[in-house]
mmCIF file of all heavy atoms in Angstrom:
data_model
loop_
_atom_site.group_PDB
_atom_site.id
_atom_site.type_symbol
_atom_site.label_atom_id
_atom_site.label_comp_id
_atom_site.label_asym_id
_atom_site.label_seq_id
_atom_site.Cartn_x
_atom_site.Cartn_y
_atom_site.Cartn_z
ATOM 1 N N TYR P 56 -44.628 14.861 -57.426
ATOM 2 C CA TYR P 56 -45.330 16.144 -57.257
ATOM 3 C C TYR P 56 -45.136 16.752 -55.875
ATOM 4 O O TYR P 56 -45.447 17.918 -55.664
ATOM 5 C CB TYR P 56 -46.848 15.940 -57.503
ATOM 6 C CG TYR P 56 -47.420 14.710 -56.820
ATOM 7 C CD1 TYR P 56 -47.736 14.723 -55.472
ATOM 8 C CD2 TYR P 56 -47.612 13.527 -57.534
ATOM 9 C CE1 TYR P 56 -48.225 13.586 -54.836
ATOM 10 C CE2 TYR P 56 -48.114 12.391 -56.909
ATOM 11 C CZ TYR P 56 -48.417 12.422 -55.570
ATOM 12 O OH TYR P 56 -48.893 11.293 -54.954
ATOM 13 N N CYS P 57 -44.635 15.982 -54.918
ATOM 14 C CA CYS P 57 -44.741 16.401 -53.513
ATOM 15 C C CYS P 57 -43.466 17.039 -52.980
ATOM 16 O O CYS P 57 -42.370 16.478 -53.106
ATOM 17 C CB CYS P 57 -45.119 15.197 -52.653
ATOM 18 S SG CYS P 57 -45.396 15.659 -50.922
ATOM 19 N N GLY P 58 -43.615 18.176 -52.337
ATOM 20 C CA GLY P 58 -42.485 18.902 -51.768
ATOM 21 C C GLY P 58 -41.796 18.174 -50.623
ATOM 22 O O GLY P 58 -40.659 18.493 -50.281
ATOM 23 N N GLN P 94 -51.212 13.463 -39.473
ATOM 24 C CA GLN P 94 -50.645 13.291 -40.805
ATOM 25 C C GLN P 94 -49.143 13.508 -40.785
ATOM 26 O O GLN P 94 -48.639 14.341 -40.036
ATOM 27 C CB GLN P 94 -51.302 14.270 -41.784
ATOM 28 C CG GLN P 94 -50.931 13.993 -43.234
ATOM 29 C CD GLN P 94 -51.704 14.870 -44.200
ATOM 30 O OE1 GLN P 94 -51.327 16.008 -44.442
ATOM 31 N NE2 GLN P 94 -52.782 14.345 -44.761
ATOM 32 N N SER P 123 -53.130 9.390 -41.168
ATOM 33 C CA SER P 123 -52.811 9.654 -42.575
ATOM 34 C C SER P 123 -51.293 9.623 -42.684
ATOM 35 O O SER P 123 -50.635 10.661 -42.761
ATOM 36 C CB SER P 123 -53.389 11.019 -42.971
ATOM 37 O OG SER P 123 -53.034 11.358 -44.295
ATOM 38 N N ILE P 145 -55.823 7.413 -47.080
ATOM 39 C CA ILE P 145 -54.731 7.159 -48.010
ATOM 40 C C ILE P 145 -55.280 7.323 -49.427
ATOM 41 O O ILE P 145 -56.067 6.507 -49.908
ATOM 42 C CB ILE P 145 -54.025 5.802 -47.738
ATOM 43 C CG1 ILE P 145 -52.850 5.587 -48.684
ATOM 44 C CG2 ILE P 145 -54.976 4.632 -47.756
ATOM 45 C CD1 ILE P 145 -51.876 4.491 -48.236
ATOM 46 N N ARG P 146 -54.905 8.419 -50.036
ATOM 47 C CA ARG P 146 -55.431 8.684 -51.374
ATOM 48 C C ARG P 146 -54.833 7.704 -52.379
ATOM 49 O O ARG P 146 -53.647 7.385 -52.287
ATOM 50 C CB ARG P 146 -55.079 10.115 -51.812
ATOM 51 C CG ARG P 146 -55.862 11.193 -51.088
ATOM 52 C CD ARG P 146 -55.522 12.545 -51.700
ATOM 53 N NE ARG P 146 -56.252 13.642 -51.095
ATOM 54 C CZ ARG P 146 -56.041 14.922 -51.420
ATOM 55 N NH1 ARG P 146 -55.118 15.235 -52.325
ATOM 56 N NH2 ARG P 146 -56.737 15.884 -50.859
ATOM 57 N N GLU P 148 -54.559 8.673 -55.310
ATOM 58 C CA GLU P 148 -53.883 9.725 -56.099
ATOM 59 C C GLU P 148 -54.306 9.714 -57.571
ATOM 60 O O GLU P 148 -54.702 10.740 -58.110
ATOM 61 C CB GLU P 148 -52.348 9.680 -55.985
ATOM 62 C CG GLU P 148 -51.790 9.531 -54.563
ATOM 63 C CD GLU P 148 -52.036 10.727 -53.632
ATOM 64 O OE1 GLU P 148 -52.653 11.708 -54.054
ATOM 65 O OE2 GLU P 148 -51.616 10.651 -52.459
ATOM 66 N N ARG P 167 -50.818 -0.203 -53.086
ATOM 67 C CA ARG P 167 -51.691 0.884 -52.616
ATOM 68 C C ARG P 167 -53.133 0.354 -52.474
ATOM 69 O O ARG P 167 -53.796 0.595 -51.465
ATOM 70 C CB ARG P 167 -51.661 2.024 -53.642
ATOM 71 C CG ARG P 167 -52.211 3.315 -53.101
ATOM 72 C CD ARG P 167 -51.098 4.260 -52.846
ATOM 73 N NE ARG P 167 -51.450 5.543 -52.329
ATOM 74 C CZ ARG P 167 -50.685 6.182 -51.462
ATOM 75 N NH1 ARG P 167 -49.587 5.628 -50.991
ATOM 76 N NH2 ARG P 167 -51.018 7.372 -51.042
ATOM 77 N N CYS P 185 -58.077 11.735 -54.838
ATOM 78 C CA CYS P 185 -57.156 11.843 -55.968
ATOM 79 C C CYS P 185 -56.698 13.282 -56.172
ATOM 80 O O CYS P 185 -57.266 14.220 -55.617
ATOM 81 C CB CYS P 185 -57.808 11.319 -57.243
ATOM 82 S SG CYS P 185 -59.226 12.288 -57.781
ATOM 83 N N LEU P 186 -55.659 13.387 -56.957
ATOM 84 C CA LEU P 186 -55.179 14.691 -57.419
ATOM 85 C C LEU P 186 -55.817 14.966 -58.772
ATOM 86 O O LEU P 186 -56.041 14.042 -59.555
ATOM 87 C CB LEU P 186 -53.654 14.644 -57.559
ATOM 88 C CG LEU P 186 -52.905 14.710 -56.234
ATOM 89 C CD1 LEU P 186 -51.463 14.248 -56.408
ATOM 90 C CD2 LEU P 186 -52.940 16.137 -55.700
ATOM 91 N N GLY P 215 -58.212 17.234 -54.570
ATOM 92 C CA GLY P 215 -57.554 18.539 -54.636
ATOM 93 C C GLY P 215 -56.836 18.714 -55.957
ATOM 94 O O GLY P 215 -56.402 17.735 -56.574
ATOM 95 N N PRO P 216 -56.689 19.963 -56.385
ATOM 96 C CA PRO P 216 -55.925 20.226 -57.604
ATOM 97 C C PRO P 216 -54.437 20.021 -57.355
ATOM 98 O O PRO P 216 -53.939 20.303 -56.260
ATOM 99 C CB PRO P 216 -56.228 21.706 -57.887
ATOM 100 C CG PRO P 216 -56.525 22.293 -56.536
ATOM 101 C CD PRO P 216 -57.187 21.201 -55.744
ATOM 102 N N PHE P 217 -53.737 19.539 -58.369
ATOM 103 C CA PHE P 217 -52.275 19.469 -58.318
ATOM 104 C C PHE P 217 -51.720 20.900 -58.378
ATOM 105 O O PHE P 217 -52.177 21.716 -59.170
ATOM 106 C CB PHE P 217 -51.757 18.646 -59.510
ATOM 107 C CG PHE P 217 -50.317 18.943 -59.866
ATOM 108 C CD1 PHE P 217 -49.285 18.571 -59.016
ATOM 109 C CD2 PHE P 217 -49.995 19.620 -61.042
ATOM 110 C CE1 PHE P 217 -47.957 18.873 -59.324
ATOM 111 C CE2 PHE P 217 -48.674 19.924 -61.372
ATOM 112 C CZ PHE P 217 -47.653 19.546 -60.511
ATOM 113 N N ILE P 218 -50.735 21.174 -57.506
ATOM 114 C CA ILE P 218 -50.082 22.490 -57.504
ATOM 115 C C ILE P 218 -48.573 22.256 -57.646
ATOM 116 O O ILE P 218 -47.974 21.547 -56.831
ATOM 117 C CB ILE P 218 -50.403 23.260 -56.198
ATOM 118 C CG1 ILE P 218 -51.929 23.449 -56.059
ATOM 119 C CG2 ILE P 218 -49.686 24.614 -56.175
ATOM 120 C CD1 ILE P 218 -52.387 23.893 -54.685
ATOM 121 N N ALA P 219 -47.990 22.837 -58.680
ATOM 122 C CA ALA P 219 -46.581 22.559 -58.988
ATOM 123 C C ALA P 219 -45.659 23.126 -57.906
ATOM 124 O O ALA P 219 -45.744 24.308 -57.555
ATOM 125 C CB ALA P 219 -46.223 23.145 -60.351
ATOM 126 N N HIS P 220 -44.800 22.269 -57.384
ATOM 127 C CA HIS P 220 -43.852 22.688 -56.348
ATOM 128 C C HIS P 220 -42.483 22.935 -56.998
ATOM 129 O O HIS P 220 -41.981 22.073 -57.733
ATOM 130 C CB HIS P 220 -43.746 21.592 -55.284
ATOM 131 C CG HIS P 220 -43.007 22.030 -54.059
ATOM 132 N ND1 HIS P 220 -41.669 22.380 -54.097
ATOM 133 C CD2 HIS P 220 -43.404 22.187 -52.778
ATOM 134 C CE1 HIS P 220 -41.285 22.737 -52.876
ATOM 135 N NE2 HIS P 220 -42.320 22.629 -52.060
ATOM 136 N N ALA P 257 -55.900 22.645 -50.653
ATOM 137 C CA ALA P 257 -55.333 22.940 -51.981
ATOM 138 C C ALA P 257 -56.312 23.750 -52.833
ATOM 139 O O ALA P 257 -55.902 24.588 -53.636
ATOM 140 C CB ALA P 257 -54.949 21.640 -52.690
ATOM 141 N N TYR P 290 -44.221 22.215 -43.615
ATOM 142 C CA TYR P 290 -44.977 21.077 -44.164
ATOM 143 C C TYR P 290 -45.456 21.481 -45.554
ATOM 144 O O TYR P 290 -46.642 21.590 -45.838
ATOM 145 C CB TYR P 290 -46.160 20.720 -43.252
ATOM 146 C CG TYR P 290 -46.657 19.301 -43.448
ATOM 147 C CD1 TYR P 290 -46.042 18.227 -42.798
ATOM 148 C CD2 TYR P 290 -47.731 19.017 -44.292
ATOM 149 C CE1 TYR P 290 -46.486 16.930 -42.979
ATOM 150 C CE2 TYR P 290 -48.180 17.731 -44.466
ATOM 151 C CZ TYR P 290 -47.563 16.690 -43.811
ATOM 152 O OH TYR P 290 -48.013 15.394 -43.986
ATOM 153 N N ILE P 292 -46.122 20.576 -48.800
ATOM 154 C CA ILE P 292 -46.461 19.588 -49.828
ATOM 155 C C ILE P 292 -46.471 20.276 -51.182
ATOM 156 O O ILE P 292 -45.980 19.765 -52.172
ATOM 157 C CB ILE P 292 -47.856 18.997 -49.517
ATOM 158 C CG1 ILE P 292 -47.850 18.256 -48.190
ATOM 159 C CG2 ILE P 292 -48.325 18.090 -50.623
ATOM 160 C CD1 ILE P 292 -49.214 17.755 -47.770
ATOM 161 N N TYR P 293 -47.066 21.481 -51.210
ATOM 162 C CA TYR P 293 -47.119 22.327 -52.417
ATOM 163 C C TYR P 293 -46.929 23.773 -51.957
ATOM 164 O O TYR P 293 -47.103 24.074 -50.768
ATOM 165 C CB TYR P 293 -48.461 22.146 -53.157
ATOM 166 C CG TYR P 293 -49.654 22.262 -52.259
ATOM 167 C CD1 TYR P 293 -50.147 23.501 -51.865
ATOM 168 C CD2 TYR P 293 -50.272 21.124 -51.768
ATOM 169 C CE1 TYR P 293 -51.224 23.602 -51.013
ATOM 170 C CE2 TYR P 293 -51.363 21.213 -50.911
ATOM 171 C CZ TYR P 293 -51.826 22.459 -50.537
ATOM 172 O OH TYR P 293 -52.886 22.556 -49.680
ATOM 173 N N PRO P 294 -46.559 24.676 -52.863
ATOM 174 C CA PRO P 294 -46.293 26.060 -52.441
ATOM 175 C C PRO P 294 -47.576 26.850 -52.167
ATOM 176 O O PRO P 294 -48.668 26.445 -52.578
ATOM 177 C CB PRO P 294 -45.543 26.650 -53.636
ATOM 178 C CG PRO P 294 -45.990 25.842 -54.803
ATOM 179 C CD PRO P 294 -46.283 24.463 -54.288
HETATM 180 N N1 5AD I 1 -50.282 19.572 -55.081
HETATM 181 C C1 5AD I 1 -51.463 19.227 -54.542
HETATM 182 N N2 5AD I 1 -51.638 18.221 -53.669
HETATM 183 C C2 5AD I 1 -50.544 17.509 -53.319
HETATM 184 N N3 5AD I 1 -50.398 16.452 -52.506
HETATM 185 C C3 5AD I 1 -49.090 16.126 -52.481
HETATM 186 N N4 5AD I 1 -48.377 16.952 -53.277
HETATM 187 C C4 5AD I 1 -49.268 17.830 -53.822
HETATM 188 C C5 5AD I 1 -49.163 18.901 -54.758
HETATM 189 N N5 5AD I 1 -47.979 19.261 -55.289
HETATM 190 C C6 5AD I 1 -51.516 15.767 -51.852
HETATM 191 C C7 5AD I 1 -51.515 14.270 -52.153
HETATM 192 C C8 5AD I 1 -51.430 13.634 -50.780
HETATM 193 C C9 5AD I 1 -51.953 14.726 -49.890
HETATM 194 C C10 5AD I 1 -51.550 14.609 -48.459
HETATM 195 O O1 5AD I 1 -51.435 15.896 -50.460
HETATM 196 O O2 5AD I 1 -52.726 13.905 -52.793
HETATM 197 O O3 5AD I 1 -52.175 12.437 -50.664
#
Side-chain angles (χ1 to χ4, degrees):
Y56 45 80
C57 184
Q94 190 174 83
S123 176
I145 182 164
R146 288 185 178 175
E148 313 293 0
R167 195 106 180 145
C185 65
L186 284 163
F217 158 69
I218 301 166
H220 191 296
Y290 201 84
I292 297 175
Y293 49 80

